[in-house]
Amino acid sequence: MTRKKALVVRGGWEGHQPVRATELFLPFLRDHAYDVRVEESTDVYADADAMAETDLVVQCVTMSEIKPEQLSGLTAAVVAGTGLTGWHGGIADSFRASSDYLHLVGGQFATHPGKEPCERQGGEADNFLPHTIAVTELGREHPITAGIEDFELHTEQYWVLHDDLIDVLATTTHPARSWQPWHRPVTSPAVWTRQWGAGRVVVTTPGHSLDVLEDPNVRTVIERGMLWATRTASAS
């Protein structure tokens, strides 16, 4: 079996436990014939030689900042065929000040609606809501989500701003509640792919905490997304 090279880039806001979260997936990558390199910053993105030989980038960097030369390096690698994937804020809430990064991934975290104000106690659980991840018609046929039925989670429910160049494999719908300012239900992409040049991008929005990442459905989507995003023979 030909071995692939995966680059795991982690850091940013510690609330998403970037080290422990990424460690969950390293055995999967190694078991599937990936040589894994782990970096604790985005400096590696500016290393053209390292990026050129990378078949897959797994990014877990919430918020933070990215330098122009780092983003240029990441973007060039994806355009040339390197896959890019990640989950939750590690990819959908990275580098908020960079419109070019948003353009690369195709969607950006806007908010996660919370409980009714009278139920809030001041902790992160104020933003944990029961919600459904609904697989789309496209998702039912796609290798990442085929065979996965709609499933329930009780965690942050991401509201995402996005464009129509993404292929949506699953969605989640935010109901209109009396204490919220919107007036009709809003459906956001929960899992999507994006073709960018010769490269494939996969974004999975669930993944706030380790227990969510260990949910069998979420974990399956992330792991299949890694395999699917990896550089294809046509992009070599």
Side-chain angles (χ1 to χ4, degrees):
M1 180 182 294
T2 302
R3 296 191 68 81
K4 297 286 190 176
K5 293 188 177 181
L7 171 64
V8 176
V9 179
R10 61 196 187 188
W13 184 58
E14 286 295 328
H16 284 152
Q17 303 180 73
V19 173
R20 293 183 66 190
T22 52
E23 293 289 331
L24 289 176
F25 296 96
L26 299 188
F28 173 85
L29 289 168
R30 291 175 177 136
D31 288 347
H32 285 77
Y34 289 79
D35 293 324
V36 181
R37 173 178 177 178
V38 178
E39 293 290 336
E40 310 294 339
S41 82
T42 53
D43 291 345
V44 66
Y45 289 160
D47 184 338
D49 292 336
M51 297 304 293
E53 66 180 18
T54 297
D55 298 301
L56 173 69
V57 174
V58 179
Q59 180 180 283
C60 186
V61 184
T62 303
M63 295 181 280
S64 193
E65 296 180 353
I66 191 168
K67 296 178 181 178
E69 62 270 21
Q70 295 168 358
L71 180 58
S72 294
L74 173 62
T75 302
V78 173
V79 169
T82 299
L84 172 63
T85 192
W87 54 85
H88 202 61
I91 191 167
D93 190 22
S94 309
F95 323 128
R96 293 177 180 178
S98 174
S99 59
D100 289 336
Y101 175 78
L102 170 60
H103 199 208
L104 171 65
V105 298
Q108 186 175 54
F109 164 80
T111 192
H112 39 61
K115 296 176 180 177
E116 187 171 3
C118 65
E119 297 179 357
R120 299 177 189 178
Q121 298 181 352
E124 66 173 12
D126 289 349
N127 297 313
F128 293 175
L129 298 175
H131 59 278
T132 301
I133 304 298
V135 180
T136 64
E137 288 302 312
L138 174 63
R140 298 193 186 282
E141 304 297 327
H142 197 282
I144 294 175
T145 42
I148 295 177
E149 300 298 326
D150 298 354
F151 59 96
E152 305 298 316
L153 293 174
H154 189 272
T155 184
E156 291 181 349
Q157 182 184 21
Y158 264 21
W159 181 316
V160 173
L161 305 180
H162 60 96
D163 64 33
D164 65 0
L165 193 63
I166 64 174
D167 294 319
V168 180
L169 307 185
T171 64
T172 190
T173 298
H174 305 271
R177 304 293 195 191
S178 60
W179 65 88
Q180 303 288 12
W182 55 93
H183 305 289
R184 63 174 183 265
V186 178
T187 298
S188 283
V191 181
W192 73 83
T193 68
R194 186 175 185 84
Q195 186 77 35
W196 202 249
R200 292 171 166 181
V201 179
V202 182
V203 178
T204 304
T205 63
H208 172 74
S209 52
L210 300 183
D211 62 304
V212 178
L213 291 171
E214 291 173 331
D215 177 275
N217 293 299
V218 174
R219 186 160 191 157
T220 296
V221 169
I222 292 172
E223 291 176 345
R224 287 183 182 177
M226 291 174 177
L227 300 178
W228 184 84
T230 298
R231 183 191 306 273
T232 62
S234 62
S236 299

